[in-house]
Amino acid sequence: MTFRSIVHIILLLFLVTASSLDSKLLAQENEAYSPFPFRKASLEFNGYFGSVFKHTKEFDSNIGGPTYSFELGMVKNCFGNKPWEKALNYPSIGASFIFTRFGNNQTFGNAYAAMPHISFYVYRSTRFTAYLRFGLGFAYLSKKYDYVQNPDN
């Protein structure tokens, strides 16, 4: 295990712990005191894991490992204070920062993105929640496609 992977694991554990502590702090009944500057808002952390597969005969690139992504966002739930909130079934709005590693860093690089989003709830119960989330933002890719220098990207 390399030093870099250890740093990624420590960062992941820190972010998961920080987001869970924040949700407990926001669950207090006394709304007058809130250590978090935005009341009725919360931090969320999501992790994604997958892999790139050979989808055409021409795709000969060395993938070099799994693809993973981390998302850190701030979300505010709507409680029907405005007419549109009730009409749209009390959506949640927020913004996220996303980091993605595509496996082989030399060929594919990393992606960094910032995205505002809105989530529309389709189904809610005490055990299960389903929602559709829409967002449009900006991204920076560290490696760009170049037919001569980087044809595998």
Side-chain angles (χ1 to χ4, degrees):
M1 191 178 270
T2 66
F3 177 74
R4 190 173 188 172
S5 4
I6 293 171
V7 169
H8 284 152
I9 291 170
I10 291 171
L11 179 63
L12 172 67
L13 291 173
F14 171 75
L15 290 174
V16 169
T17 305
S19 65
S20 65
L21 287 175
D22 182 58
S23 64
K24 291 180 192 239
L25 290 173
L26 292 174
Q28 301 298 321
E29 290 183 24
N30 184 2
E31 240 182 75
Y33 171 73
S34 175
F36 195 63
F38 302 101
R39 290 187 193 149
K40 298 179 185 170
S42 61
L43 288 175
E44 75 175 6
F45 178 80
N46 297 312
Y48 307 100
F49 184 82
S51 66
V52 178
F53 61 94
K54 184 174 180 173
H55 51 83
T56 63
K57 292 178 185 177
E58 294 83 22
F59 189 71
D60 289 332
S61 181
N62 178 16
I63 304 304
T67 298
Y68 57 88
S69 184
F70 300 109
E71 176 182 1
L72 180 64
M74 186 174 69
V75 178
K76 179 187 179 296
N77 292 318
C78 297
F79 295 103
N81 298 333
K82 298 176 183 166
W84 66 269
E85 295 175 350
K86 188 174 182 179
L88 295 175
N89 195 19
Y90 310 101
S92 58
I93 55 175
S96 296
F97 174 77
I98 304 162
F99 166 77
T100 303
R101 181 181 163 95
F102 295 113
N104 186 342
N105 201 26
Q106 300 296 341
T107 304
F108 303 115
N110 298 322
Y112 307 91
M115 174 184 76
H117 52 80
I118 184 166
S119 299
F120 298 104
Y121 291 91
V122 178
Y123 178 78
R124 288 189 206 188
S125 73
T126 56
R127 294 182 161 204
F128 180 74
T129 301
Y131 61 89
L132 299 172
R133 186 163 96 175
F134 299 96
L136 182 64
F138 298 97
Y140 170 76
L141 301 172
S142 61
K143 296 281 185 176
K144 66 179 186 175
Y145 175 75
D146 186 347
Y147 184 75
V148 176
Q149 303 269 341
N150 193 6
D152 292 333
N153 186 356

